[in-house]
């Protein structure tokens, strides 16, 4: 029988390991560990198992990590067998090797998650056998870096924290009314103008009346080299980056820098300092589309990904309908309605992405616009029912509904910081799993959690809102089942020690630390909104 602390390390692996079979005894970790694997995987294995101080085998080591390729296994599947003298890993690909390395690290004391461990001499591994395959091929997290910019070094750390939870997609919402975060070599005014705003609204629009502003500039952007670095760092950790350029709405920052993209006849706008569905659209005319195609090509060049998200959400069409130039274009093109024009524009966005060798992704409003390519992945954010409709129409779908996956809503409590609303309690996140009918032509690719950052001004607040709720979401994504709550509270509590060692400033399960609370000033939670309303 295993000692209690070793049993805890197996049971508290997160996401859980339903296949784990524990054995008797333990395996001490020597100062040097041998590595045996195929030459083309050796650098990857040395990197992912670096916390064990692995080195190519010489024959004198007391413990050997052996990695074997088995192409019969599924993508991301791994088999792990820990026993005296060896840690054996079998996988079909590097992603499976990475997951196995993460699990071995979790089987060690939490000290293993420090940048420089301080108690390595006491490390032991429990004897255990594991054979795991994720339930979904898409297990994602979306971070909005447009409303409040997140510096590159913090995105790189986030990548590591996603890999720690065996997530495999990082969706970056790179553009919105409040900021454009992508360098454009062809249009440098995007970095000069669209990447910053003069000030930011205080409180919650519609609740804090009359509106007031902080008078403090905010901004930032990623260079092309930054985006390539983020993409490469993510790939190293088994994660694909999904860049999003939100079009045709949410375009105030874009238009502030390139006013020629505005709908003819509309007044110029600055980079927007407030939140909400503003209603600013790009022009649907051919000249504007040519610039959009250039921008999308630049993003595809900077982010080596199978996907390119083009938004498609929250697009009031009043500006198009009110423009004489747009109406002239419609007549010349034989378009009988604004809805037909919208279909043409959304079809253009999707086809442009396909021509770049990427697969288009859109929010669920895009599904309701006829004319998008059949290859378009639909992200169902308003409700799962929109995802079910897209599945029935033959689209592949990622379920990402507000109810269960939007972390910009607080957990319940009077001492939470300013947020869009409340009610996204950890038990609510734990209960979320997709519900889809049988025999639909589209495929459910997986699930994704979101953090919109209107009320998340810095990376400490990003961590507070994200963890440990993202850990619970990751468990659901890996197993395909809801997480029993509070049934797995003890296991998650053990996992929180790993988060602390990794430097993640999570929200404690009992409620925020005093310095994480909203207090009585500008960061006091005042919104009456609830996630399930």
């Amino acid at each position: 029988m295993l000692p209690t602390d070793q049993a805890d390390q197996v049971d508290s692996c997160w996401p859980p390991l339903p296949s784990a079979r524990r054995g008797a005894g333990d395996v001490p970790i020597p100062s040097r560990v041998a590595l045996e694997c195929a030459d083309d995987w050796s650098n990857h294995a040395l990197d992912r198992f670096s916390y064990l101080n692995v080195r190519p085998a010489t024959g004198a080591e007391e413990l050997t990590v052996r990695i074997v390729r088995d192409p019969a296994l599924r993508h991301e599947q791994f088999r792990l067998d820990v026993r005296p003298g060896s840690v054996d890993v079998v996988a079909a690909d590097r992603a499976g090797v990475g997951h196995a390395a993460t699990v071995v690290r979790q089987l060690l004391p939490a000290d293993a998650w420090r940048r420089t461990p301080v108690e390595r001499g006491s490390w032991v591994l429990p004897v255990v056998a594991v054979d795991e395959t994720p339930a979904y091929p898409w297990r994602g997290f979306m971070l909005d870096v447009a409303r409040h910019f997140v510096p590159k070094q913090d995105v790189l750390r986030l990548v590591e924290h996603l890999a720690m939870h065996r997530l495999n997609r990082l969706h970056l919402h790179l553009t919105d009314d409040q900021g454009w975060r992508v360098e454009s070599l062809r249009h440098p005014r995007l970095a000069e103008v669209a990447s910053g705003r003069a000030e930011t609204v205080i409180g919650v629009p519609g609740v804090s009346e009359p509106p007031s502003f902080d008078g403090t500039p905010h901004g930032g952007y990623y260079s092309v080299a930054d985006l390539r670095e983020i993409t490469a760092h993510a790939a190293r950790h088994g994660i694909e980056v999904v860049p999003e350029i939100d079009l045709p709405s949410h375009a105030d920052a874009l238009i502030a820098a390139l006013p020629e993209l505005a709908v003819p006849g509309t007044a110029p706008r600055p980079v927007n300092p407030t939140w909400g569905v503003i209603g600013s659209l790009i022009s649907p005319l051919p000249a504007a589309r040519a610039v959009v195609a250039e921008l999308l090509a630049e993003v595809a060049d900077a982010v080596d990904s199978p996907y390119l998200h083009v938004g498609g959400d929250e697009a009031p069409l009043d500006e198009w309908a009110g423009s004489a130039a747009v109406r002239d274009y419609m007549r010349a093109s034989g378009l009988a309605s604004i809805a037909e024009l919208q279909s043409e524009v959304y079809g253009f966005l999707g086809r442009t992405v396909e021509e770049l060798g990427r697969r288009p992704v859109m929010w669920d409003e895009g599904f309701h616009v006829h004319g998008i390519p059949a290859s378009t992945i639909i992200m169902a954010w308003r409700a799962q029912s929109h995802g079910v409709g897209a599945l029935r129409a033959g689209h592949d779908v990622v379920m990402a509904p507000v109810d269960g996956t939007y972390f910009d809503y607080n957990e319940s409590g009077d001492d939470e910081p300013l947020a869009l609303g409340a009610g996204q309690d950890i038990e609510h996140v734990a209960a979320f799993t997709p519900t889809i009918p049988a025999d639909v032509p589209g495929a459910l690719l997986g699930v994704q959690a979101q953090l919109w950052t209107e009320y998340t001004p810095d990376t400490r607040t990003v961590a507070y809102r994200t963890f440990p709720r993202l850990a619970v979401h990751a468990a659901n994504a890996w197993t395909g089942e809801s997480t029993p709550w509070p049934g797995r509270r003890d296991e998650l509590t053990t996992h929180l020690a790993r988060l602390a060692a990794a430097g993640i400033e999570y929200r404690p399960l009992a409620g925020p630390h005093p310095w994480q609370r909203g207090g009585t000033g500008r960061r006091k939670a005042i919104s009456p909104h609830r996630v399930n309303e």
Side-chain angles (χ1 to χ4, degrees):
M1 183 173 178
L2 284 175
T4 301
D5 58 345
Q6 293 177 36
D8 288 345
Q9 291 303 106
V10 174
D11 292 340
S12 71
C13 276
W14 206 278
L17 302 171
S19 68
R21 301 188 309 279
R22 293 173 287 175
D26 57 76
V27 180
I29 305 299
S31 58
R32 289 189 52 164
V33 177
L35 174 68
E36 294 180 2
C37 73
D39 289 343
D40 57 335
W41 280 10
S42 61
N43 288 339
H44 178 69
L46 286 167
D47 178 43
R48 296 312 306 275
F49 283 93
S50 61
Y51 59 89
L52 286 179
N53 195 24
V54 291
R55 298 290 187 273
T58 65
E61 293 84 3
E62 300 173 20
L63 181 65
T64 300
V65 174
R66 295 189 182 88
I67 300 174
V68 175
R69 179 190 285 112
D70 184 351
L73 269 59
R74 295 170 56 187
H75 175 52
E76 297 191 277
Q77 182 181 1
F78 67 94
R79 291 175 182 158
L80 172 67
D81 189 3
V82 179
R83 51 188 166 178
S86 69
V87 175
D88 296 330
V89 174
V90 182
D93 49 30
R94 288 178 173 84
V97 173
H99 295 325
T102 297
V103 168
V104 172
R105 196 172 184 180
Q106 289 191 356
L107 291 171
L108 293 167
D111 181 62
W113 290 93
R114 298 187 182 279
R115 294 270 173 146
T116 303
V118 295
E119 299 173 355
R120 194 179 190 281
S122 62
W123 287 4
V124 295
L125 283 170
V127 172
V128 66
V130 174
D131 184 348
E132 286 288 315
T133 307
Y136 298 121
W138 187 300
R139 305 180 307 283
F141 177 64
M142 187 223 74
L143 179 63
D144 168 15
V145 298
R147 272 52 176 269
H148 280 99
F149 181 66
V150 177
K152 179 194 70 176
Q153 64 268 23
D154 294 312
V155 177
L156 296 175
R157 289 187 69 229
L158 175 64
V159 164
E160 297 165 8
H161 299 159
L162 300 188
M164 181 182 187
H165 294 87
R166 307 202 294 278
L167 294 167
N168 67 353
R169 299 288 188 276
L170 173 59
H171 171 179
L172 292 176
H173 182 78
L174 292 164
T175 70
D176 218 294
D177 293 305
Q178 298 79 17
W180 181 282
R181 307 301 178 200
V182 185
E183 179 187 30
S184 170
L185 301 181
R186 300 191 66 164
H187 301 278
R189 279 181 58 82
L190 286 170
E192 296 164 2
V193 176
S195 66
R197 59 180 181 265
E199 57 187 357
T200 301
V201 68
I202 296 171
V204 180
V207 178
S208 307
E209 296 294 345
S212 60
F213 298 84
D214 63 10
T216 302
H218 177 85
Y221 68 93
Y222 307 110
S223 69
V224 171
D226 290 339
L227 289 170
R228 288 176 178 161
E229 180 184 2
I230 290 168
T231 305
H233 190 67
R236 172 184 156 198
H237 287 83
I239 294 168
E240 291 178 329
V241 176
V242 182
E244 181 186 355
I245 304 300
D246 200 355
L247 297 166
S249 186
H250 294 278
D252 276 1
L254 174 60
I255 293 169
L258 303 177
E260 63 271 25
L261 298 187
V263 176
T266 57
R269 285 192 173 105
V271 180
N272 208 296
T274 191
W275 321 125
V277 182
I278 316 300
S280 181
L281 296 169
I282 58 167
S283 168
L285 303 184
R289 295 189 200 186
V291 175
V292 166
E294 292 174 352
L295 296 174
L296 292 177
E298 286 190 299
V299 173
D301 180 64
V303 180
D304 184 11
S305 170
Y307 314 102
L308 180 49
H309 199 308
V310 288
D313 61 311
E314 297 177 332
L317 304 179
D318 297 349
E319 289 186 342
W320 289 354
S323 170
V326 171
R327 292 195 298 271
D328 289 344
Y329 170 78
M330 291 172 59
R331 281 192 291 270
S333 303
L335 299 172
S337 67
I338 289 294
E340 289 186 13
L341 174 63
Q342 185 181 24
S343 294
E344 186 190 65
V345 171
Y346 280 52
F348 155 76
L349 292 171
R351 290 190 302 275
T352 299
V353 171
E354 287 186 323
E355 290 165 4
L356 292 168
R358 303 293 191 264
R359 190 169 180 188
V361 187
M362 292 186 183
W363 296 109
D364 59 50
E365 290 95 331
F367 157 65
H368 297 286
V369 177
H370 300 294
I372 65 172
S375 69
T376 304
I377 296 169
I378 299 300
M379 282 190 169
W381 74 273
R382 291 177 294 175
Q384 290 197 59
S385 59
H386 296 283
V388 170
L391 288 166
R392 286 185 168 134
H395 288 282
D396 292 347
V397 167
V398 175
M399 289 293 190
V402 174
D403 194 1
T405 74
Y406 268 43
F407 295 165
D408 44 322
Y409 286 85
N410 279 332
E411 297 202 42
S412 299
D414 295 333
D415 50 3
E416 298 290 333
L418 184 70
L420 176 60
Q424 199 75 278
D425 298 320
I426 197 164
E427 56 264 35
H428 202 63
V429 177
F432 168 71
T433 53
T435 303
I436 63 169
D439 302 322
V440 290
L444 175 64
L445 299 181
V447 295
Q448 182 171 286
Q450 283 63 233
L451 179 60
W452 302 99
T453 60
E454 291 96 329
Y455 307 101
T456 304
D458 53 52
T459 52
R460 296 185 80 183
T461 312
V462 168
Y464 173 84
R465 297 212 192 285
T466 304
F467 292 102
R469 291 184 294 184
L470 185 61
V472 174
H473 174 84
N476 295 1
W478 183 268
T479 65
E481 300 176 353
S482 60
T483 297
W485 195 265
R488 292 198 65 86
R489 184 184 178 107
D490 288 348
E491 291 85 351
L492 183 60
T493 298
T494 301
H495 180 62
L496 294 182
R498 301 184 188 109
L499 302 190
I504 300 173
E505 295 188 81
Y506 61 88
R507 178 192 185 276
L509 295 177
H513 290 297
W515 57 88
Q516 295 173 324
R517 296 171 183 163
T520 59
R522 290 182 176 183
R523 295 291 296 160
K524 177 180 173 61
I526 58 173
S527 174
H529 304 308
R530 301 284 298 180
V531 70
N532 53 0
E533 291 178 350

